[in-house]
């Protein structure tokens, strides 16, 4: 059972395609799963390599993010992205409050 049940799409596909034998379907399922596994393994390797050589923050490396933006925490970056003008960031570790920071994005926007 799928998350989005598009029965209309299933009817269209079944109407315009011919059924294939189960043996052939199983063979192609195996082939596609091996191809997907190889692709995923190479993607993980590429990401690890980029982190190892120091290009983990690719936006900063290619100049899409300034040094000031790199220094900001993720909470402040998201508040700017969501256009939150004023607010308070509270950081917790377990059940203990570690830090409380006020921010004002009106000053930086002008």
């Amino acid at each position: 059972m799928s998350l989005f049940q598009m029965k209309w799409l299933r009817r269209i596909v079944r109407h315009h395609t011919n059924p294939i034998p189960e043996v052939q379907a199983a063979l192609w399922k195996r082939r596609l799963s091996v191809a997907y596994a190889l692709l995923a393994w190479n993607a993980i390797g590429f990401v690890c390599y980029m982190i190892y050589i120091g290009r983990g923050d690719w936006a900063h490396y290619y100049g899409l993010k300034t040094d000031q933006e790199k220094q900001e925490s993720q909470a402040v970056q998201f508040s700017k992205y969501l256009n939150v003008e004023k607010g308070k960031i509270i950081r917790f570790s377990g059940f203990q409050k570690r830090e409380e920071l006020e921010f004002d994005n009106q000053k930086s926007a002008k």
Side-chain angles (χ1 to χ4, degrees):
M1 190 154 131
S2 65
L3 182 61
F4 302 107
Q5 293 185 3
M6 295 182 278
K7 293 180 181 180
W8 58 272
L9 181 62
R10 179 181 168 93
R11 269 189 256 122
I12 291 172
V13 170
R14 286 184 149 259
H15 179 71
H16 292 288
T17 58
N18 296 326
I20 60 173
E22 285 186 39
V23 176
Q24 188 179 7
L27 174 68
W28 277 103
K29 181 179 179 182
R30 226 178 9 254
R31 287 179 183 168
L32 288 174
S33 66
V34 168
Y36 174 74
L38 288 173
L39 182 72
W41 182 254
N42 284 324
I44 290 170
F46 179 73
V47 168
C48 291
Y49 174 71
M50 294 304 274
I51 291 171
Y52 177 74
I53 64 171
R55 294 188 198 174
D57 190 359
W58 60 269
H60 183 260
Y61 181 79
Y62 288 108
L64 300 173
K65 188 189 291 186
T66 64
D67 290 332
Q68 180 186 4
E69 290 173 334
K70 186 178 180 183
Q71 298 295 327
E72 293 175 342
S73 69
Q74 269 193 334
V76 173
Q77 290 176 12
F78 278 119
S79 70
K80 287 181 180 178
Y81 179 73
L82 296 172
N83 294 327
V84 177
E85 295 173 357
K86 291 183 180 180
K88 185 185 295 188
I89 297 171
I90 303 172
R91 295 175 196 234
F92 284 91
S93 178
F95 290 110
Q96 296 177 352
K97 187 187 332 183
R98 294 289 180 196
E99 183 182 358
E100 190 169 328
L101 172 71
E102 298 271 341
F103 68 91
D104 186 8
N105 287 337
Q106 291 176 340
K107 295 176 188 173
S108 61
K110 291 181 182 178

